[in-house]
Amino acid sequence: MATNILLGPVLSFRGVSKGKWKVSALIGIDESDKAPKFVVDGKAASKSLVLLKHGGRQYLRYDLTTKQGDQERKVEYTIEGVDEAWHFTVPGKDYAPRMAYVSCNGFSDPSSIRKLIKGENAVWADLLCNHDKQVRPDGYMLDKEQLWHEPLTHDKNLQRFHLLLMGGDQIYFDSIWEDVKELKGWIGLPRDKQLEFQVSPELEARIEDYYLTLYVGRWLPTGRGAWGGKSKTLDAAQAMARTPTVMMWDDHDIFDGWGSYSCEMQQSPLFKRLFHHARRAFWVFQMQHAADQLPELELREDVRVRANDPLFKKIEWSKILKGDALALPLLDQQPGFSFAHAVGPVQLLVADLRTERSYEQVLGPDTWRALKAWLRQIPENGRKHPGVGCQHLLFMSSVPVVHPKLTLAEAFLDNFGSDHVLDSSADDLKDHWTHDDHEGERLRLLETLFATAKAKQIRVAIVSGDVHVAAHGVAYRKDVGPQDNWAQIQQFTSTAVVHPSLVSVAERLFFHVLDSVGRITQNLDVNTSAEMLIFPQSNRRVLAARNWLAIELDTGAANATGSKLWATWRCETKDGLTNHLMAVEPTLMPVGGIAP
């Protein structure tokens, strides 16, 4: 009997434990249908877990965990009743994963689709053709950059990437303001009426339904080729089915600008209910946890500033998720969804920059403590302790930490307020780490990362999206010598995989302003600076093109003497895609090994 898959499969990376590569898979089916069997690596997967039942549908999670060997290998999995076989590739034990990074998988405005150079999924198609030889269309031609990777991956019947990092805006909920008539009416109300607007039970149900059903329509749209059919639609659904994902959220996963509206608006009854349902949907569909496991956020009552900043009580995630072998490694004693992975010589820290965001706050104090506690336990560079050390730390920030600072635009838009949900200009600027209201916290973040790099003698890099351009920046300490390259934090900005870049006349003018302002070095304090570098193989600081990013170590073993981290952007043009490469050298070790 054929299985009607309504959503998925969506793979999620759950970590490495005792030689096992932990992966889960999410699918959606009719509530009346029997849960189909999964077969992974030739064996039946364990019994499915029901994450949520809603609107006549059920969403199930399966365990596709498999063993790591000494060498990497490709794993096949199938779903009973679906004439399709999918694969994902597992790195060898203690080896670094090869990673692809994307962000902004959608449109903030449906009319934006008219701005695209090529089809909606053209950049996804390129990523998939780089990743999996099996999905390449007949007559597909490789370029010189791709030829470098063929002997190491596809010629060995492997896939290129082990992980797909998704840096926010995996789905765009901005359409809720148009599609739900009560919300469309709310937009036209005077501000004082908006702030006191009460959510009726009927509206609450419509909001909940919208957040829980849009994932189906956007992540496995009915217009694409069905699984098992002859058509191999190269889109986000294919990518998420063939590469375990690491997902973080950003504003559009809630709605545009969340966290950057006024404190009064953020705490209005309507905004609170919208966030409640967006958070629950994110927990189920992107984090793949059961809906009934999600605790409510509770405001702290012992702080005077709670009227301005959302300071929530700590959550004991280790207690809540105890017993779930596939639980994400959420940092304990923090109210948000920040989590971290350690894979061979690479450590990956995924920060939740939305749960506690306000006008003047990005992360709350308990989250800062949790982040610093996790950073302290990172093992020292593996050249002193082969097989157990860290060489590169990747910090995932949905919004760039190093980006051109638009001071005049900030001052101009701040005078006009930023509470209009259909005008994103002000809240986009307010979102930036470079905004005056966030500069102190940006410096705290960089100093924390510098301290970790020095103590562990590792390299730190930041990967980010959100801003719809490709860019390369660096933050550095000025009080150390060039031999101390731990004091240089590279940032790779890659965005967007679907959303159009800056292509209209007004956007092109803004792009030239952005590129010009990007030439100015930002002095954060007497010892710390940040600047935009010339984007690799170009003559600009930013590149206005849809793109995706590959992040790979040239020697992936934890016991290697030191590995470069290579970043390769693939950027869309009218004639194809261009390659832009740069490398982060391993830490230059002091004489005699790691400093005490």
Side-chain angles (χ1 to χ4, degrees), residues 119-339:
E120 174 182 344
N121 292 310
V123 180
W124 274 121
D126 182 73
L127 192 159
L128 281 158
C129 288
N130 276 264
H131 171 58
D132 194 333
K133 188 176 182 179
Q134 290 185 350
V135 302
R136 290 174 180 170
D138 294 339
Y140 183 81
M141 302 293 289
L142 301 170
D143 62 28
K144 289 193 296 183
E145 167 60 24
Q146 290 170 309
L147 287 175
W148 279 100
H149 303 280
E150 291 296 291
L152 300 174
T153 56
H154 298 124
D155 290 353
K156 295 181 179 180
N157 194 34
L158 300 169
Q159 296 156 304
R160 180 171 172 183
F161 300 112
H162 304 112
L163 296 177
L164 176 60
L165 312 183
M166 304 187 79
D169 300 340
Q170 279 71 254
I171 187 169
Y172 279 63
F173 279 107
D174 308 337
S175 53
I176 194 171
W177 299 105
E178 288 288 333
D179 293 345
V180 178
K181 67 176 184 178
E182 293 92 340
L183 300 186
K184 190 172 184 178
W186 176 91
I187 292 172
L189 294 175
R191 186 173 186 273
D192 59 337
K193 298 296 184 182
Q194 290 179 336
L195 292 175
E196 64 186 30
F197 181 89
Q198 296 298 314
V199 179
S200 67
E202 294 78 15
L203 176 56
E204 177 107 25
R206 277 190 281 276
I207 292 172
E208 177 186 35
D209 187 67
Y210 198 87
Y211 276 106
L212 295 178
T213 58
L214 197 66
Y215 278 95
V216 174
R218 297 284 169 84
W219 279 14
L220 196 66
T222 55
R224 74 186 299 279
W227 294 124
K230 294 181 179 180
S231 174
K232 290 286 186 184
T233 309
L234 301 184
D235 57 4
Q238 280 280 9
M240 293 187 289
R242 295 176 180 273
T243 329
T245 61
V246 176
M247 296 187 186
M248 68 188 305
W249 66 348
D250 204 23
D251 57 337
H252 294 283
D253 299 284
I254 307 162
F255 59 82
D256 186 22
W258 173 263
S260 292
Y261 296 94
S262 69
C263 298
E264 296 85 0
M265 188 63 74
Q266 291 280 154
Q267 295 176 26
S268 67
L270 175 61
F271 270 43
K272 285 183 177 180
R273 299 320 295 163
L274 288 167
F275 179 72
H276 168 86
H277 292 291
R279 177 174 177 258
R280 185 164 172 258
F282 176 80
W283 173 257
V284 171
F285 293 103
Q286 299 200 41
M287 305 198 84
Q288 297 192 11
H289 285 296
D292 59 8
Q293 283 187 301
L294 179 63
E296 293 287 346
L297 289 169
E298 298 181 47
L299 281 172
R300 290 178 58 175
E301 299 176 352
D302 59 337
V303 286
R304 293 174 60 188
V305 295
R306 75 180 175 94
N308 297 320
D309 293 322
L311 298 182
F312 300 110
K313 294 180 181 179
K314 294 180 286 189
I315 296 176
E316 293 186 71
W317 292 111
S318 58
K319 182 178 180 181
I320 289 170
L321 298 174
K322 185 178 181 181
D324 184 355
L326 290 177
L328 280 177
L330 291 168
L331 304 186
D332 217 6
Q333 302 296 318
Q334 48 120 9
F337 295 141
S338 297
F339 63 97

Side-chain angles (χ1 to χ4, degrees), residues 359 405-406 410-411 414 426 429-440 442:
Y359 249 38
K405 183 173 177 63
L406 302 171
E410 287 179 18
D414 278 353
L429 286 176
K430 205 72 170 173
D431 267 357
H432 289 181
W433 281 101
T434 57
H435 193 281
D436 285 349
D437 290 338
H438 298 315
E439 279 283 19
R442 176 166 76 139

